[in-house]
Amino acid sequence: MAIASVVNDKVFFEEVKVQRYQEGIWESIVDSVLVEVPVALIYNGYSHVVVMCTPNDIIDFVYGFSLTEGIIKSLNDIRSIELVPNERGIEVAIEVDPLCVVRIEGRKRQMSARTGCGICGLDSLSDVVREQEKIDFDFVMDEASIDRALQDSSALQMMNQKTGGAHAAFFVSNRGEILLTREDVGRHVALDKLIGAIHQKKINSKTGFILTTSRASFEMVQKAVAAKVGLLVTMSAPTTMAIKLAKQMNIKLAAFTRVGKINLYQG
């Protein structure tokens, strides 16, 4: 499949032939496999990072990644975005306010971020924990709202239903209504795409929470703080560093969530 054909028309999978062994029998079947391509983010002419992800919602990703990485302070800092697909992947030429270049220099990378992680490739341990503004409000968590979102989440995971290979991130209203869904092969990219969409649509992030299908690792909390949400809910496990950061940043953190079950690690 040509990469140029999937940037605009939302194709996210390819059908491939596979030999399947089941109950003592080999058979030929057709399987749907998630499309993954390298996406190079180039700020003001300088290559910053290469991320492996699906070629969908790239504009959302650019805004979300730029915000959660602290490269920009608001969407207005980005002056233009141009997608340039080629046979090797997708190059994204991003023109930002000159003041942002200093921040980009402070987040240098020496390698590709293979899963869309905001930390991979940094050349100094001091760059891992960066300064962020604390969450300045107390989000009121409602167990029924989390349950409702969990119940509705599976039906909205189109990529995962088709391929079984995608993580999802959701923005959920305080009533439990899923307002936005973004999926990707990497959990970090799915979250960045969601955060980019939240800001592009000018949704007040204080009016809801983020739910993800992944674990709650440090950088997922860091991104949620950058999005200015008061609660991050994950379906899998947390890490010690994620819990520590959540406490420092005053964001509520729930993990191992299922319908009728919540482990609240911070808040």
Side-chain angles (χ1 to χ4, degrees):
M1 178 182 294
I3 290 175
S5 71
V6 298
V7 175
N8 296 319
D9 60 3
K10 297 292 184 180
V11 175
F12 59 84
F13 69 93
E14 289 184 17
E15 291 188 341
V16 301
K17 293 181 180 179
V18 61
Q19 298 296 314
R20 182 174 67 185
Y21 178 79
Q22 185 173 328
E23 297 180 353
I25 299 174
W26 281 99
E27 60 179 340
S28 296
I29 64 168
V30 174
D31 192 19
S32 298
V33 179
L34 205 62
V35 173
E36 183 181 32
V37 300
V39 176
L41 302 187
I42 303 168
Y43 290 89
N44 289 22
Y46 294 95
S47 182
H48 181 59
V49 68
V50 178
V51 175
M52 300 302 299
C53 63
T54 64
N56 309 99
D57 302 311
I58 297 296
I59 301 299
D60 287 343
F61 174 62
V62 170
Y63 281 119
F65 179 89
S66 301
L67 282 165
T68 63
E69 283 295 287
I71 293 172
I72 63 174
K73 296 298 185 182
S74 75
L75 299 196
N76 293 331
D77 287 338
I78 293 182
R79 296 177 174 179
S80 66
I81 301 172
E82 182 183 3
L83 305 184
V84 186
N86 56 50
E87 68 278 2
R88 294 174 297 176
I90 303 170
E91 292 185 348
V92 188
I94 309 157
E95 189 71 23
V96 296
D97 187 286
L99 292 176
C100 299
V101 176
V102 176
R103 303 184 199 119
I104 295 171
E105 281 294 309
R107 301 288 287 175
K108 286 182 179 177
R109 279 168 171 71
Q110 306 301 325
M111 58 181 285
S112 63
R114 291 178 177 86
T115 62
C117 167
I119 294 172
C120 302
L122 292 176
D123 56 7
S124 171
L125 288 175
S126 63
D127 290 331
V128 173
V129 182
R130 67 178 187 273
E131 290 187 9
Q132 288 183 286
E133 294 182 5
K134 292 183 179 181
I135 300 302
D136 60 0
F137 64 98
D138 183 33
F139 183 82
V140 179
M141 188 180 73
D142 180 66
E143 298 87 346
S145 295
I146 294 176
D147 279 353
R148 178 185 174 187
L150 288 167
Q151 289 170 336
D152 295 343
S153 62
S154 294
L156 297 173
Q157 295 177 56
M158 303 304 178
M159 285 188 185
N160 199 55
Q161 287 180 14
K162 189 69 178 179
T163 68
H167 277 295
F170 311 90
F171 184 72
V172 187
S173 75
N174 53 17
R175 300 182 303 278
E177 179 186 3
I178 295 177
L179 303 179
L180 287 172
T181 303
R182 291 294 183 271
E183 293 180 89
D184 208 272
V185 67
R187 57 200 170 93
H188 310 94
V189 178
L191 182 53
D192 277 333
K193 288 182 176 180
L194 178 75
I195 292 169
I198 290 170
H199 283 265
Q200 282 200 87
K201 295 179 182 297
K202 298 182 179 180
I203 296 174
N204 185 351
S205 58
K206 294 183 178 181
T207 63
F209 62 92
I210 288 176
L211 168 68
T212 78
T213 59
S214 69
R215 67 183 182 275
S217 54
F218 165 81
E219 65 277 13
M220 297 293 279
V221 174
Q222 196 171 63
K223 289 178 183 294
V225 171
K228 302 187 185 304
V229 298
L231 169 66
L232 173 63
V233 181
T234 70
M235 298 183 190
S236 191
T239 66
T240 56
M241 198 165 179
I243 297 169
K244 181 180 179 181
L245 181 65
K247 290 179 179 179
Q248 290 174 346
M249 293 292 104
N250 196 38
I251 182 174
K252 288 185 169 72
L253 175 62
F256 282 128
T257 51
R258 298 290 185 272
V259 175
K261 175 191 173 185
I262 302 169
N263 283 7
L264 187 64
Y265 289 88
Q266 151 58 19

